[in-house]
Amino acid sequence: MQVFKFGGASVKDADSVKNIVTVLQKTGVKNKLIVLSAMGKTTNALEEVVDAYFNDETKLSETIEASRKYHIDIITTLFPKGHAIFKTVHTLFKNLEDFLAINKSPNYDFVYDQVICYGELTSTQIVSAFLAESNIKNQWIDARELIKTDTSYRDAKVDWDVTQKNIQQAIQKEGLFITQGFVASEENNFTTTLGREGSDYTGAIFAYCLNADNLTIWKDVPGVLNGDPRVFKNTKLLQRISYNEAIEMAFYGASVIHPKTLQPLQRKEIPLYVKSFITPESPGTFIGKGIQLDPMVACFIVKKNQILISLSSIDFSFIMEENISDIFNLLHIYKMKVTMMQNSAISFSVCIENKFNTLEPLLKKLRATYKVRWNEGVTLLTARHASANEIHMLLHGRKVLLKQENRTVTQFVLKEA
Ligand code: ASP
Ligand code: MG
């Protein structure tokens, strides 16, 4: 079994959907599971629906309509008039509207997941129908029936035992299966999601549970590069990367792979390929056991929109184990992701990601005990295997707020210009 994951960019319009057929024709259609994201920027569009529902009901129908129209336009290009897919897509959007009409839950994260899943549900129905239309037999699968999680909406934790049993039971015969990335469900069968950009992780969950030969993530770049080509000049394609190296790169912001993706793969030593859906015959990047990095070049990773909080004691007392443990407890409660930290006798600095919009209450709590300074919109720059000269060039003209270094890695928190 092989698992293929296609992201939003690879299904963003009618031509991209046709290209998936091309990729499958070139790589074979037997014994494969395809994990799909929502089309293009659909997830962002559905986030606007959730926002309108909670904050501005007058915009609700307009935001839903925009997303429906985007999908209808694509299927109008792909399918003949009167094809069953039109009804399927209309029904999905009707179900979304019905949910919002009857929902009583004030829980933003819960509602978010019940709404946001329609992106993936719709994209997989469209691609499955289009493959069938192109004479490629396939079976559509609702990932929510297989991947079970806890009730941490928007950031759900997988129940591996149940999930593995479900997946192995559902996917036995040789064939082509199409399913959604990112979505799962909790014990009462309400939808949960695995975190933004979580479809890569879904690919890894299926690969792990099926003992797949490999997982391929298809992208609009040739593979994993040693820096984001939108930020850095003269980037190089990395041909081989070890799991360890890749986990570190993904954690600090190399957005080509979702950070959670590598753990399940590494546990069963399932190779991960990152390849271009534009040139599917090119080798791309291989991530697996062995060679740390080939070619051995410096890698630069940028993570924007971080917050740097600096705490110091009000009365000049030391910041000790006890305080640090309290601080981390608060960071955990407010679901802040820590990306870097540093402490001295009377101060503590931590770089965090405010994924759940909880900065205000966190600062309020911290102010009760510490003098608090903070910078929003800072950038975390991670340089791996870089020479002093490369780092010097990189920092040219930028203001460093915090620096940390070991033998392989140098990290900077930079103030954005
Ligand atoms: N559609 C979801 C998102 O955009 C999941 C994914 O693309 O991986 O976050
Ligand atoms: Mg997406």
Side-chain angles (χ1 to χ4, degrees), residues 5 37-38 43 120 182 196-200:
K5 182 260 172 173
S37 292
T43 304
E120 271 71 11
F182 180 51
R196 281 304 305 263
E197 308 303 329
S199 296
D200 292 358

Side-chain angles (χ1 to χ4, degrees), residues 5-8 36-44 47 112 116 119-120 181-182 195-201 258:
K5 182 260 172 173
F6 289 95
L36 279 180
S37 292
M39 296 180 133
K41 302 264 175 257
T42 298
T43 304
N44 294 1
E47 282 185 343
Y112 180 102
I116 222 81
E120 271 71 11
F182 180 51
R196 281 304 305 263
E197 308 303 329
S199 296
D200 292 358
Y201 183 42
H258 189 276

Side-chain angles (χ1 to χ4, degrees), residues 105 107-114 147-159 184-195 335 356:
S105 170
N107 179 343
Y108 185 96
D109 293 349
F110 167 81
V111 172
Y112 180 102
D113 282 356
Q114 311 320 303
I147 303 179
K148 298 305 283 187
T149 66
D150 67 2
T151 55
S152 318
Y153 303 104
R154 291 181 68 196
D155 196 20
K157 308 280 167 297
V158 173
D159 180 335
S185 74
E186 34 88 314
E187 57 179 354
N188 291 323
N189 293 334
F190 282 106
T191 303
T192 54
T193 61
L194 306 169
K335 297 203 256 182
F356 292 86

Side-chain angles (χ1 to χ4, degrees), residues 212-378:
D213 296 329
N214 48 53
L215 165 65
T216 305
I217 297 182
W218 295 94
K219 308 279 299 186
D220 54 0
V221 288
V224 182
L225 306 174
N226 70 329
D228 184 338
R230 290 165 299 186
V231 184
F232 300 99
K233 277 187 253 161
N234 304 323
T235 49
K236 289 194 184 67
L237 175 69
L238 303 173
Q239 279 149 20
R240 290 183 72 103
I241 314 176
S242 69
Y243 292 117
N244 284 3
E245 187 77 26
I247 281 184
E248 294 287 345
M249 288 171 64
F251 183 83
Y252 288 110
S255 59
V256 290
I257 314 163
H258 189 276
K260 283 194 205 162
T261 309
L262 291 147
Q263 288 150 358
L265 298 179
Q266 189 226 18
R267 262 186 278 153
K268 285 195 179 170
E269 293 186 9
I270 298 170
L272 167 64
Y273 293 93
V274 180
K275 292 190 186 205
S276 158
F277 58 73
I278 304 154
T279 55
E281 44 288 322
S282 310
T285 300
F286 168 92
I287 298 160
K289 221 180 126 177
I291 300 175
Q292 189 181 16
L293 196 61
D294 176 28
M296 192 33 125
V297 288
C299 299
F300 301 104
I301 306 136
V302 170
K303 208 170 167 83
K304 291 195 169 185
N305 261 323
Q306 307 291 291
I307 300 167
L308 180 66
I309 299 187
S310 302
L311 308 173
S312 46
S313 52
I314 291 171
D315 56 1
F316 225 63
S317 62
F318 298 131
I319 295 196
M320 304 282 284
E321 293 76 5
E322 199 188 323
N323 313 73
I324 293 176
S325 123
D326 287 344
I327 295 166
F328 268 87
N329 193 29
L330 286 175
L331 292 170
H332 177 67
I333 290 170
Y334 291 104
K335 297 203 256 182
M336 292 292 187
K337 305 261 177 213
V338 175
T339 49
M340 184 169 160
M341 64 191 142
Q342 207 166 72
N343 69 316
S344 74
I346 56 165
S347 79
F348 182 80
S349 297
V350 63
C351 190
I352 54 177
E353 206 166 74
N354 183 17
K355 272 177 115 174
F356 292 86
N357 246 326
T358 46
L359 182 63
E360 272 313 311
L362 170 70
L363 290 175
K364 199 170 160 208
K365 279 268 191 241
L366 290 170
R367 276 195 213 103
T369 322
Y370 305 99
K371 204 158 90 197
V372 183
R373 283 178 304 141
W374 77 100
N375 274 291
E376 287 184 64
V378 300

